């Protein structure tokens, strides 16, 4: 009965990707956009989304070209073994760093909104422990879990935003179509980074039931792009670009303004925070799994379950490096701008080009023979 | 195999000693001797020696267990026939000498079920199962007469799964009665019954039933493998089998559905599932099973769909309340009072002002009291049990509030929790949720709402990792894209005319159950 283990349909993969992408970026996305351009934020977001879709297509194409292979094996094929080891290790370090920063931000948010007196360590370590538990169980469980949770998450989000729109002033979004191409180019890199998590398909592509359908991953990006559009529009319509710039977490402040007349819960924060915990969990859990899977290939080990727990101290160390929340965001910005773009766009692009050239060469050889 | 087992596990020792076999001898005395040797000091065994033939020259012995064999049957159709009737019309002397055994079997004994065995051990096992052994002189086989007949409970209404509408029959302790109850509902030659004898000492009869062409073949193979692997001295109840073959014994959730109702069992068979009937147990196991199946009641299918859907949603709400209510109360009162409307928050605080304990202690005291009450109510005989409920629930609750040990809202929360947990149809599921409730109470006392969310995530991971004989425990909720037809029978129960597909876990070739009749107009005049 265990022989069908670790195979997931593309639908579940899309669910994993979607929820993995909505990480810490969602809290600050409206502010980041407002800092870059004063109007037409959605065009900048759209541009970023388009780039992310291209990225998703590149990843999907790699999986299609090399079906049923671990990402490390693909790296070996494309870049030769020594380089593959270096790149693989970089991926692991990148993931560890990203999870670390993410959990730090998570801890700070929980500390502000839910548990004022609880030490940060308890919050970060407990969510990491849950992510490790999930990583030990493997991809199949993760896929089922994301699929199970998705409808309720979407319903709640739609409900919350429907409430928030009642008090919005859409004049805050004006003027439209005033943006220049130069401004779009300037803003795009920032927005792309809200789509971190899309690279998960590289690590999990080996588990796909039908690798031919891997390029469908772009659906996840499209859905998330629409979701971000909704958030950005709602937040900016509520506060206006100038006020958004001065808010630490504009998205969360948006929910603070919601009032539920006559409802049992006075404060919608309960619902939002539960969603927030779930979101961060579903971002860290796939990344944890990806890191363990990569380590498994690097060390040539057979069982990934035992490799998850040793990451806990590493991730925790990263999470305590920044002195405070603003330092965390500084590091996060630099980190995502350079490291993440390289790992998500540059490396896969090189891999894809190399694979395509190899394929061409092989075909020519056949023709020559 | 996990790393731990590789490093520290023991080698599997094969303890199966093959049964010793003694061939049946020609000499009656010798056979009797060896059976008596095996059954020494067994006072309930009856040996009835008698003689057959006009000149009483052929010796024979009947062996059975007093109380397990049907004595009327032995008197009227075995002893009377062979001792009296055979004398009235004496057969040919020469002929009888060689062919006595065949004459007995073919002409004399008016018994429906008979077989022959060649070893003493097999014969003894049959005696112990309630059958009767007939030993003949000069014959190298033992004749086994099916004479099982003991008093059992008659078919009555199932107590754990009562319904308003639906059949009132329930399974009983006798295996054959139970298989007949199911067979009566499935007049299909494709319904197969496969017998196992499990338990080295108890040799309990276990019967696996399935409909050959719609059963989930992978699950059937897996079940066979797991049943064969059981190595235990005795099976007392189907609960033993359940615990020995379930996928994850660490889990608080039941992974095998149990039922007392033949209609539920046969409906499961029609869905491609497998039922396991164990002798001496009125509870029948159904595999593979899912969380969804545990939340259903037989009645849902007999009532119309709107009502069934409404009741199912109520059950799910009940499950959620029974899991979360006390934990949420603790989290909100101790960590996040700002979540509630200020008036409610004030009233809770005012109520709790005199209570000396933190709310977690309050909750644990009340929950434990309630569990003790529930346990006491089950153990006591009917009328006294009801009294306990009133005394415990009303008097103790009221007194505790007045004495200022607990707040009144805590009493309300605990009462709602208890009532909600009774709304869950599966008793084992309700117990599982009860255990997890305590877990959530503790974690919510440490980490508040964040703790509850964390607990939920961990429970969800666990639920998603569970499988029952290859079927994911949360299906079809975790695979609603590929198995969207199964969604018609979840917390939403579709109208019966539109449920024309069988469960996707069943055999793919038999996915159609019925024609779509939705658009048929019965009132149309021809």
């Amino acid at each position: 009965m265990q022989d069908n283990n670790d195979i997931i349909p593309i639908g579940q993969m899309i669910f994993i990707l979607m929820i993995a992408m909505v990480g810490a970026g969602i809290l600050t996305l409206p502010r980041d956009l407002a800092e870059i351009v004063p109007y037409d934020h959605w065009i900048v977001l759209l541009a970023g989304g388009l780039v992310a879709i291209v990225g998703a297509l590149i990843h999907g194409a790699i999986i299609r070209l090399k079906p049923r292979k671990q990402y490390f094996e693909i790296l070996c094929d494309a870049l030769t073994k020594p380089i593959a080891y270096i790149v693989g290790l970089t991926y692991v370090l990148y993931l560890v760093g990203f999870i670390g920063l993410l959990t730090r931000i998570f801890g700070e948010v929980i500390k502000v909104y839910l548990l004022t007196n609880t030490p940060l360590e308890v919050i970060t370590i407990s969510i990491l422990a849950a992510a490790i538990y999930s990583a030990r169980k493997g991809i199949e469980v993760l896929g089922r879990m994301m699929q199970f949770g998705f409808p309720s998450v979407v319903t709640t989000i739609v409900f919350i935003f429907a409430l928030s729109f009642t008090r919005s002033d859409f004049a805050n979004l004006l003027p439209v179509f005033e943006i220049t191409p130069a401004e779009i180019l300037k803003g795009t890199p920032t927005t792309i980074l809200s789509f971190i998590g899309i690279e998960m398909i590289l690590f999990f592509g080996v588990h796909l039931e039908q690798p031919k359908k891997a390029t469908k991953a772009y659906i996840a990006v499209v859905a998330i792009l629409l979701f971000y559009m909704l958030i950005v529009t709602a937040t900016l319509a509520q506060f206006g670009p100038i006020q958004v710039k001065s808010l630490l977490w504009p998205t969360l402040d948006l929910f603070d303004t919601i009032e539920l007349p006559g409802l049992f819960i006075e404060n919608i924060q309960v619902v939002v925070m539960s969603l927030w915990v779930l979101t961060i969990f579903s971002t860290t859990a796939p990344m944890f799994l990806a890191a363990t899977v990569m380590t498994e290939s690097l060390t040539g080990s057979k069982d990934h379950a035992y490799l998850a727990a040793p990451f806990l101290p590493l991730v925790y160390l990263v999470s305590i490096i920044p002195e405070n929340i603003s330092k965390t965001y500084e590091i996060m910005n630099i980190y995502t701008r350079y490291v993440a773009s390289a790992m998500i766009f540059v490396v896969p692009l090189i891999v894809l080009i190399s694979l395509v050239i190899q394929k061409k060469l092989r075909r020519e050889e056949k023709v020559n023979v | 195999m996990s790393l731990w087992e590789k490093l520290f596990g023991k080698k599997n020792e094969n303890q199966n000693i093959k049964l010793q076999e003694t061939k049946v001898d020609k000499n009656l005395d010798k056979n009797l001797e060896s059976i008596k040797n095996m059954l020494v000091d067994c006072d309930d065994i009856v040996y009835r020696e008698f003689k057959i033939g006009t000149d009483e020259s052929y010796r024979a012995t009947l062996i059975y267990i007093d109380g397990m064999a049907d004595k009327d049957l032995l008197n009227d159709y075995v002893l009377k026939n062979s001792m009296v009737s055979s004398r009235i019309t004496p057969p040919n002397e020469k002929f009888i000498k060689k062919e006595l055994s065949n004459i007995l079997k073919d002409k004399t004994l008016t018994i429906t079920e008979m077989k022959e065995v060649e070893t003493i051990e097999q014969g003894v096992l049959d005696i112990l199962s309630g059958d009767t052994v007939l030993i003949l002189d000069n014959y190298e086989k033992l004749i086994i007469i099916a004479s099982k007949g003991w008093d059992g409970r008659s078919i009555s209404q199932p107590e754990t799964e009562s319904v308003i509408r639906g059949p009132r029959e329930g399974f009983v302790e006798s295996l054959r009665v139970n298989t007949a109850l199911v067979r009566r509902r499935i007049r299909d030659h494709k319904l197969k019954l496969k017998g196992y004898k499990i338990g080295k000492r108890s040799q309990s009869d276990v019967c696996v039933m399935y409909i050959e062409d719609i059963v989930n073949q992978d699950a059937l193979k897996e079940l066979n493998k797991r049943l064969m692997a059981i190595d235990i001295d005795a099976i007392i109840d189907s609960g033993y089998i359940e615990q020995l073959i379930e996928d994850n014994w660490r889990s608080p959730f039941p992974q095998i559905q149990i039922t007392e109702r033949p209609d539920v069992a046969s409906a499961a068979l029609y869905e491609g599932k497998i039922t396991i009937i164990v002798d001496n147990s009125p509870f029948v196991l159904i595999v593979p099973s899912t969380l969804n199946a545990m939340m259903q009641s037989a009645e849902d299918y007999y009532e119309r769909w709107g009502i069934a859907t409404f009741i199912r949603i109520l059950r799910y709400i009940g499950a959620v309340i029974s899991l979360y209510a006390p934990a949420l109360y603790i989290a909100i009162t101790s960590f996040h009072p700002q979540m509630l409307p200020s008036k409610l928050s004030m009233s809770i605080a005012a109520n709790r002002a005199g209570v000396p304990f933190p709310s977690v202690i309050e909750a644990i005291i009340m929950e434990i009291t309630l569990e003790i009450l529930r346990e006491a109510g089950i153990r006591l005989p009917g009328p006294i049990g009801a009294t306990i409920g009133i005394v415990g629930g009303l008097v103790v609750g009221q007194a505790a509030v007045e004495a200022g040990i607990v707040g009144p809202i805590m009493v309300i929360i605990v009462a709602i929790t208890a009532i909600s947990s009774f709304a869950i149809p599966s008793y084992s599921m309700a117990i599982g949720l009860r255990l997890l409730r305590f877990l959530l109470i503790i974690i919510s006392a440490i980490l508040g709402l964040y703790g509850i969310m964390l607990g939920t995530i961990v429970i969800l991971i666990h639920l998603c990792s569970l499988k029952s004989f290859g079927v994911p425990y949360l299906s079809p909720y975790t695979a609603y894209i590929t198995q969207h037809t199964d969604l018609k029978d979840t917390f939403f129960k579709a109208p019966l005319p539109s449920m024309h597909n069988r469960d996707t876990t069943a055999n793919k070739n038999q996915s159609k159950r019925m024609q779509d009749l939705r658009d048929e107009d019965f009132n149309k005049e021809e």
Side-chain angles (χ1 to χ4, degrees), chain A residues 1 4 12 114 123 126 144 147 151 264 266 270, chain B residues 3 218 336 339 341 450 464 467 470 478 480:
Chain A
M1 270 296 103
N4 62 352
Q12 287 188 351
L114 283 181
I123 300 172
S126 54
R144 276 191 226 131
Q147 187 164 16
F264 190 67
E266 171 140 309
V270 193
Chain B
L3 189 69
D218 295 330
H336 329 283
M339 302 285 174
Y450 169 57
C464 289
K467 270 185 170 186
T478 52
Y480 43 78

PDB file of all heavy atoms in Angstrom, chain A residues 1 4 12 114 123 126 144 147 151 264 266 270, chain B residues 3 218 336 339 341 450 464 467 470 478 480:
ATOM      1  N   MET A   1       0.821  -1.212   0.000  1.00  0.00           N
ATOM      2  CA  MET A   1       0.000   0.000   0.000  1.00  0.00           C
ATOM      3  C   MET A   1       0.847   1.250   0.000  1.00  0.00           C
ATOM      4  O   MET A   1       0.398   2.327  -0.330  1.00  0.00           O
ATOM      5  CB  MET A   1      -0.865   0.032   1.257  1.00  0.00           C
ATOM      6  CG  MET A   1      -2.206  -0.616   1.123  1.00  0.00           C
ATOM      7  SD  MET A   1      -3.378   0.074  -0.016  1.00  0.00           S
ATOM      8  CE  MET A   1      -3.304  -1.025  -1.382  1.00  0.00           C
ATOM      9  N   ASN A   4       2.409   3.812  -3.521  1.00  0.00           N
ATOM     10  CA  ASN A   4       2.014   5.047  -4.195  1.00  0.00           C
ATOM     11  C   ASN A   4       2.425   6.273  -3.389  1.00  0.00           C
ATOM     12  O   ASN A   4       1.938   7.356  -3.599  1.00  0.00           O
ATOM     13  CB  ASN A   4       0.505   5.056  -4.473  1.00  0.00           C
ATOM     14  CG  ASN A   4      -0.304   4.992  -3.198  1.00  0.00           C
ATOM     15  OD1 ASN A   4       0.264   4.796  -2.119  1.00  0.00           O
ATOM     16  ND2 ASN A   4      -1.591   5.178  -3.300  1.00  0.00           N
ATOM     17  N   GLN A  12      -2.658  19.392  -6.465  1.00  0.00           N
ATOM     18  CA  GLN A  12      -2.136  19.613  -5.117  1.00  0.00           C
ATOM     19  C   GLN A  12      -0.856  20.435  -5.158  1.00  0.00           C
ATOM     20  O   GLN A  12      -0.606  21.248  -4.276  1.00  0.00           O
ATOM     21  CB  GLN A  12      -1.881  18.271  -4.433  1.00  0.00           C
ATOM     22  CG  GLN A  12      -3.174  17.589  -4.042  1.00  0.00           C
ATOM     23  CD  GLN A  12      -2.961  16.354  -3.203  1.00  0.00           C
ATOM     24  OE1 GLN A  12      -1.841  15.897  -3.028  1.00  0.00           O
ATOM     25  NE2 GLN A  12      -4.037  15.790  -2.697  1.00  0.00           N
ATOM     26  N   LEU A 114      -0.759  39.053  19.443  1.00  0.00           N
ATOM     27  CA  LEU A 114      -1.383  38.011  20.268  1.00  0.00           C
ATOM     28  C   LEU A 114      -0.723  37.824  21.631  1.00  0.00           C
ATOM     29  O   LEU A 114      -1.389  37.861  22.647  1.00  0.00           O
ATOM     30  CB  LEU A 114      -1.379  36.670  19.524  1.00  0.00           C
ATOM     31  CG  LEU A 114      -2.400  36.460  18.421  1.00  0.00           C
ATOM     32  CD1 LEU A 114      -2.236  35.065  17.851  1.00  0.00           C
ATOM     33  CD2 LEU A 114      -3.817  36.618  18.945  1.00  0.00           C
ATOM     34  N   ILE A 123       7.822  31.370  20.513  1.00  0.00           N
ATOM     35  CA  ILE A 123       6.954  31.477  19.341  1.00  0.00           C
ATOM     36  C   ILE A 123       7.653  30.907  18.108  1.00  0.00           C
ATOM     37  O   ILE A 123       7.103  30.073  17.394  1.00  0.00           O
ATOM     38  CB  ILE A 123       6.563  32.946  19.104  1.00  0.00           C
ATOM     39  CG1 ILE A 123       5.820  33.481  20.323  1.00  0.00           C
ATOM     40  CG2 ILE A 123       5.721  33.086  17.857  1.00  0.00           C
ATOM     41  CD1 ILE A 123       5.568  34.957  20.282  1.00  0.00           C
ATOM     42  N   SER A 126       8.307  27.048  18.316  1.00  0.00           N
ATOM     43  CA  SER A 126       7.127  26.189  18.218  1.00  0.00           C
ATOM     44  C   SER A 126       6.624  26.095  16.780  1.00  0.00           C
ATOM     45  O   SER A 126       6.248  25.014  16.328  1.00  0.00           O
ATOM     46  CB  SER A 126       6.029  26.676  19.157  1.00  0.00           C
ATOM     47  OG  SER A 126       5.752  28.020  18.912  1.00  0.00           O
ATOM     48  N   ARG A 144      -1.935  17.080   0.585  1.00  0.00           N
ATOM     49  CA  ARG A 144      -3.297  16.876   1.062  1.00  0.00           C
ATOM     50  C   ARG A 144      -3.707  17.994   1.992  1.00  0.00           C
ATOM     51  O   ARG A 144      -4.832  18.486   1.953  1.00  0.00           O
ATOM     52  CB  ARG A 144      -3.378  15.545   1.819  1.00  0.00           C
ATOM     53  CG  ARG A 144      -3.578  14.389   0.894  1.00  0.00           C
ATOM     54  CD  ARG A 144      -3.917  13.155   1.701  1.00  0.00           C
ATOM     55  NE  ARG A 144      -3.130  12.063   1.213  1.00  0.00           N
ATOM     56  CZ  ARG A 144      -2.427  11.249   1.972  1.00  0.00           C
ATOM     57  NH1 ARG A 144      -2.394  11.419   3.268  1.00  0.00           N
ATOM     58  NH2 ARG A 144      -1.742  10.285   1.439  1.00  0.00           N
ATOM     59  N   GLN A 147      -4.501  21.185   0.157  1.00  0.00           N
ATOM     60  CA  GLN A 147      -5.765  21.075  -0.551  1.00  0.00           C
ATOM     61  C   GLN A 147      -6.937  21.131   0.428  1.00  0.00           C
ATOM     62  O   GLN A 147      -7.956  21.749   0.157  1.00  0.00           O
ATOM     63  CB  GLN A 147      -5.807  19.767  -1.341  1.00  0.00           C
ATOM     64  CG  GLN A 147      -7.034  19.697  -2.225  1.00  0.00           C
ATOM     65  CD  GLN A 147      -6.928  18.638  -3.279  1.00  0.00           C
ATOM     66  OE1 GLN A 147      -6.106  17.759  -3.205  1.00  0.00           O
ATOM     67  NE2 GLN A 147      -7.762  18.727  -4.281  1.00  0.00           N
ATOM     68  N   PRO A 151      -9.946  25.712   0.636  1.00  0.00           N
ATOM     69  CA  PRO A 151     -11.275  26.317   0.511  1.00  0.00           C
ATOM     70  C   PRO A 151     -11.639  27.192   1.701  1.00  0.00           C
ATOM     71  O   PRO A 151     -12.156  28.291   1.520  1.00  0.00           O
ATOM     72  CB  PRO A 151     -12.213  25.109   0.445  1.00  0.00           C
ATOM     73  CG  PRO A 151     -11.370  23.978   0.074  1.00  0.00           C
ATOM     74  CD  PRO A 151     -10.013  24.246   0.596  1.00  0.00           C
ATOM     75  N   PHE A 264     -20.474  38.098  17.339  1.00  0.00           N
ATOM     76  CA  PHE A 264     -19.970  37.623  18.619  1.00  0.00           C
ATOM     77  C   PHE A 264     -18.541  38.110  18.851  1.00  0.00           C
ATOM     78  O   PHE A 264     -18.166  38.454  19.958  1.00  0.00           O
ATOM     79  CB  PHE A 264     -20.023  36.099  18.630  1.00  0.00           C
ATOM     80  CG  PHE A 264     -19.753  35.514  19.973  1.00  0.00           C
ATOM     81  CD1 PHE A 264     -20.645  35.706  21.009  1.00  0.00           C
ATOM     82  CD2 PHE A 264     -18.604  34.785  20.202  1.00  0.00           C
ATOM     83  CE1 PHE A 264     -20.398  35.175  22.251  1.00  0.00           C
ATOM     84  CE2 PHE A 264     -18.362  34.247  21.440  1.00  0.00           C
ATOM     85  CZ  PHE A 264     -19.262  34.444  22.461  1.00  0.00           C
ATOM     86  N   GLU A 266     -15.747  40.790  18.556  1.00  0.00           N
ATOM     87  CA  GLU A 266     -15.642  42.217  18.338  1.00  0.00           C
ATOM     88  C   GLU A 266     -14.490  42.506  17.393  1.00  0.00           C
ATOM     89  O   GLU A 266     -14.531  43.400  16.562  1.00  0.00           O
ATOM     90  CB  GLU A 266     -15.398  42.904  19.677  1.00  0.00           C
ATOM     91  CG  GLU A 266     -15.056  44.361  19.510  1.00  0.00           C
ATOM     92  CD  GLU A 266     -15.719  45.198  20.565  1.00  0.00           C
ATOM     93  OE1 GLU A 266     -16.941  45.044  20.718  1.00  0.00           O
ATOM     94  OE2 GLU A 266     -15.031  45.991  21.212  1.00  0.00           O
ATOM     95  N   VAL A 270      -8.743  37.830  15.566  1.00  0.00           N
ATOM     96  CA  VAL A 270      -8.683  36.390  15.841  1.00  0.00           C
ATOM     97  C   VAL A 270      -8.577  35.615  14.537  1.00  0.00           C
ATOM     98  O   VAL A 270      -7.681  34.791  14.341  1.00  0.00           O
ATOM     99  CB  VAL A 270      -9.967  35.899  16.543  1.00  0.00           C
ATOM    100  CG1 VAL A 270      -9.774  34.524  17.088  1.00  0.00           C
ATOM    101  CG2 VAL A 270     -10.431  36.886  17.546  1.00  0.00           C
TER     102      VAL A 270
ATOM    103  N   LEU B   3      15.318   3.893  10.994  1.00  0.00           N
ATOM    104  CA  LEU B   3      16.710   3.797  11.409  1.00  0.00           C
ATOM    105  C   LEU B   3      16.814   3.142  12.783  1.00  0.00           C
ATOM    106  O   LEU B   3      17.672   2.314  13.048  1.00  0.00           O
ATOM    107  CB  LEU B   3      17.312   5.195  11.435  1.00  0.00           C
ATOM    108  CG  LEU B   3      18.816   5.273  11.643  1.00  0.00           C
ATOM    109  CD1 LEU B   3      19.531   4.736  10.445  1.00  0.00           C
ATOM    110  CD2 LEU B   3      19.238   6.685  11.950  1.00  0.00           C
ATOM    111  N   ASP B 218      -6.782  -3.543  -3.999  1.00  0.00           N
ATOM    112  CA  ASP B 218      -5.548  -3.297  -3.237  1.00  0.00           C
ATOM    113  C   ASP B 218      -5.801  -3.454  -1.740  1.00  0.00           C
ATOM    114  O   ASP B 218      -5.021  -4.079  -1.031  1.00  0.00           O
ATOM    115  CB  ASP B 218      -5.037  -1.883  -3.512  1.00  0.00           C
ATOM    116  CG  ASP B 218      -4.617  -1.729  -4.954  1.00  0.00           C
ATOM    117  OD1 ASP B 218      -4.184  -2.736  -5.538  1.00  0.00           O
ATOM    118  OD2 ASP B 218      -4.744  -0.617  -5.494  1.00  0.00           O
ATOM    119  N   HIS B 336      -6.565  36.942  25.516  1.00  0.00           N
ATOM    120  CA  HIS B 336      -7.063  37.958  24.580  1.00  0.00           C
ATOM    121  C   HIS B 336      -8.475  38.392  24.913  1.00  0.00           C
ATOM    122  O   HIS B 336      -9.395  38.174  24.144  1.00  0.00           O
ATOM    123  CB  HIS B 336      -7.038  37.425  23.148  1.00  0.00           C
ATOM    124  CG  HIS B 336      -5.945  36.448  22.887  1.00  0.00           C
ATOM    125  ND1 HIS B 336      -4.648  36.836  22.711  1.00  0.00           N
ATOM    126  CD2 HIS B 336      -5.947  35.106  22.786  1.00  0.00           C
ATOM    127  CE1 HIS B 336      -3.899  35.756  22.524  1.00  0.00           C
ATOM    128  NE2 HIS B 336      -4.658  34.699  22.563  1.00  0.00           N
ATOM    129  N   MET B 339     -10.792  40.339  22.385  1.00  0.00           N
ATOM    130  CA  MET B 339     -11.445  39.750  21.217  1.00  0.00           C
ATOM    131  C   MET B 339     -12.970  39.797  21.346  1.00  0.00           C
ATOM    132  O   MET B 339     -13.678  39.784  20.363  1.00  0.00           O
ATOM    133  CB  MET B 339     -11.054  38.287  21.058  1.00  0.00           C
ATOM    134  CG  MET B 339      -9.591  38.057  20.918  1.00  0.00           C
ATOM    135  SD  MET B 339      -9.042  38.531  19.298  1.00  0.00           S
ATOM    136  CE  MET B 339      -7.286  38.339  19.460  1.00  0.00           C
ATOM    137  N   PRO B 341     -16.757  41.261  22.565  1.00  0.00           N
ATOM    138  CA  PRO B 341     -17.408  42.561  22.776  1.00  0.00           C
ATOM    139  C   PRO B 341     -17.230  42.965  24.240  1.00  0.00           C
ATOM    140  O   PRO B 341     -17.256  42.109  25.124  1.00  0.00           O
ATOM    141  CB  PRO B 341     -18.882  42.271  22.476  1.00  0.00           C
ATOM    142  CG  PRO B 341     -18.884  41.058  21.634  1.00  0.00           C
ATOM    143  CD  PRO B 341     -17.680  40.274  21.989  1.00  0.00           C
ATOM    144  N   TYR B 450      -2.638  31.416  19.551  1.00  0.00           N
ATOM    145  CA  TYR B 450      -1.554  30.910  18.718  1.00  0.00           C
ATOM    146  C   TYR B 450      -1.349  29.424  18.981  1.00  0.00           C
ATOM    147  O   TYR B 450      -1.186  28.626  18.049  1.00  0.00           O
ATOM    148  CB  TYR B 450      -0.284  31.701  19.006  1.00  0.00           C
ATOM    149  CG  TYR B 450       0.970  31.130  18.420  1.00  0.00           C
ATOM    150  CD1 TYR B 450       1.071  30.904  17.052  1.00  0.00           C
ATOM    151  CD2 TYR B 450       2.053  30.811  19.226  1.00  0.00           C
ATOM    152  CE1 TYR B 450       2.229  30.376  16.523  1.00  0.00           C
ATOM    153  CE2 TYR B 450       3.207  30.288  18.695  1.00  0.00           C
ATOM    154  CZ  TYR B 450       3.290  30.065  17.341  1.00  0.00           C
ATOM    155  OH  TYR B 450       4.428  29.529  16.818  1.00  0.00           O
ATOM    156  N   CYS B 464      -3.836  14.269   7.898  1.00  0.00           N
ATOM    157  CA  CYS B 464      -3.483  14.135   6.482  1.00  0.00           C
ATOM    158  C   CYS B 464      -2.526  12.979   6.263  1.00  0.00           C
ATOM    159  O   CYS B 464      -2.462  12.417   5.175  1.00  0.00           O
ATOM    160  CB  CYS B 464      -2.857  15.424   5.968  1.00  0.00           C
ATOM    161  SG  CYS B 464      -4.034  16.744   5.807  1.00  0.00           S
ATOM    162  N   LYS B 467      -3.722   6.964   6.796  1.00  0.00           N
ATOM    163  CA  LYS B 467      -4.326   6.252   5.685  1.00  0.00           C
ATOM    164  C   LYS B 467      -5.008   5.025   6.248  1.00  0.00           C
ATOM    165  O   LYS B 467      -4.528   4.440   7.212  1.00  0.00           O
ATOM    166  CB  LYS B 467      -3.242   5.792   4.706  1.00  0.00           C
ATOM    167  CG  LYS B 467      -2.942   6.792   3.623  1.00  0.00           C
ATOM    168  CD  LYS B 467      -1.963   6.178   2.647  1.00  0.00           C
ATOM    169  CE  LYS B 467      -1.825   7.048   1.426  1.00  0.00           C
ATOM    170  NZ  LYS B 467      -0.993   6.415   0.421  1.00  0.00           N
ATOM    171  N   GLY B 470      -4.689   2.192   2.485  1.00  0.00           N
ATOM    172  CA  GLY B 470      -4.328   2.845   1.231  1.00  0.00           C
ATOM    173  C   GLY B 470      -5.214   4.012   0.863  1.00  0.00           C
ATOM    174  O   GLY B 470      -4.918   4.735  -0.073  1.00  0.00           O
ATOM    175  N   THR B 478      -9.493  15.877   0.742  1.00  0.00           N
ATOM    176  CA  THR B 478      -8.136  16.229   0.334  1.00  0.00           C
ATOM    177  C   THR B 478      -7.901  15.959  -1.136  1.00  0.00           C
ATOM    178  O   THR B 478      -6.797  16.105  -1.624  1.00  0.00           O
ATOM    179  CB  THR B 478      -7.108  15.424   1.141  1.00  0.00           C
ATOM    180  OG1 THR B 478      -7.465  14.050   1.047  1.00  0.00           O
ATOM    181  CG2 THR B 478      -7.075  15.851   2.564  1.00  0.00           C
ATOM    182  N   TYR B 480     -10.477  16.817  -3.796  1.00  0.00           N
ATOM    183  CA  TYR B 480     -11.771  17.133  -4.395  1.00  0.00           C
ATOM    184  C   TYR B 480     -11.675  17.461  -5.873  1.00  0.00           C
ATOM    185  O   TYR B 480     -12.684  17.658  -6.516  1.00  0.00           O
ATOM    186  CB  TYR B 480     -12.485  18.241  -3.627  1.00  0.00           C
ATOM    187  CG  TYR B 480     -11.624  19.389  -3.201  1.00  0.00           C
ATOM    188  CD1 TYR B 480     -11.246  20.361  -4.087  1.00  0.00           C
ATOM    189  CD2 TYR B 480     -11.183  19.486  -1.882  1.00  0.00           C
ATOM    190  CE1 TYR B 480     -10.465  21.416  -3.689  1.00  0.00           C
ATOM    191  CE2 TYR B 480     -10.392  20.534  -1.487  1.00  0.00           C
ATOM    192  CZ  TYR B 480     -10.036  21.505  -2.391  1.00  0.00           C
ATOM    193  OH  TYR B 480      -9.242  22.524  -2.002  1.00  0.00           O
TER     194      TYR B 480
END
